[in-house]
Amino acid sequence: MDLRVELPKIRVLPPPKERLRSLTKGADQAEAWAAKLRAKAEPVVEKLAFLRTRLATAAVLILAAWLFVHVMFGANGMVVYRTKRAEYQDLQKEIGLLQRENTQYSEQVSQLKSDPKRIEKEAREQFHYARPGEVVYVSPEPAPPPQPATNSASK
């Protein structure tokens, strides 16, 4: 069994003046290296900035085109809106016609309930009633047209 305890190595830092001197020795070299790196990176950065503006413009154009198509032809686009609006107007006309027809029927019902002349007229027309001494003439129903003997004649 090994009972040794390992202690981390202790690093002795130089005094602050010496640290400052070591920094100033390498500062000229670091500045020269940074200038070289900046000179090499400058054309690449310019190209990236140019590409970024081109890509952003293209992305905006694609987004605008997609929005236009979606607004015009999407699920709730202008095309669908116009067809639904035309359908709505047709339905409004149909509702108006049905309401007028309904009021006519309501008037007929009220007349049939209260007007004796109207009641007599309906009884004569529908049930072929007649007053004593009157004769009712009923015309026969027209005969249906004859069916062709073969299917080729109907074409």
Side-chain angles (χ1 to χ4, degrees):
M1 188 178 275
D2 192 11
L3 296 176
R4 288 184 274 169
V5 176
E6 299 225 6
L7 296 174
K9 291 186 179 183
I10 299 173
R11 189 171 173 197
V12 178
L13 293 175
K17 284 185 180 179
E18 236 177 90
R19 277 188 279 166
L20 198 59
R21 266 190 228 126
S22 66
L23 280 176
T24 55
K25 282 181 190 175
D28 294 334
Q29 293 171 351
E31 283 181 15
W33 178 77
K36 266 199 264 181
L37 186 64
R38 189 179 308 132
K40 286 182 182 178
E42 216 169 82
V44 174
V45 170
E46 286 178 11
K47 285 181 183 178
L48 285 176
F50 178 73
L51 284 176
R52 185 183 74 193
T53 57
R54 289 287 179 144
L55 287 174
T57 304
V60 166
L61 288 175
I62 289 171
L63 178 66
W66 178 81
L67 269 172
F68 176 76
V69 168
H70 181 69
V71 165
M72 292 305 288
F73 305 108
N76 291 324
M78 289 300 291
V79 174
V80 174
Y81 169 75
R82 287 189 177 170
T83 57
K84 287 186 179 187
R85 185 173 178 196
E87 183 181 345
Y88 172 77
Q89 289 172 349
D90 291 342
L91 289 174
Q92 288 296 324
K93 289 177 185 175
E94 187 178 343
I95 286 172
L97 290 174
L98 290 174
Q99 284 177 342
R100 275 180 272 178
E101 189 178 326
N102 193 17
T103 55
Q104 288 175 354
Y105 288 141
S106 297
E107 288 174 10
Q108 286 179 0
V109 167
S110 66
Q111 286 178 358
L112 286 173
K113 286 183 180 178
S114 61
D115 190 10
K117 289 182 181 179
R118 179 67 185 209
I119 295 170
E120 181 183 348
K121 180 183 175 214
E122 289 294 323
R124 285 174 174 264
E125 287 177 1
Q126 289 183 7
F127 303 118
H128 307 292
Y129 284 180
R131 288 190 176 164
E134 289 183 341
V135 178
V136 177
Y137 292 102
V138 179
S139 62
E141 292 194 21
Q147 293 291 330
T150 61
N151 287 341
S152 63
S154 64
K155 290 182 182 178

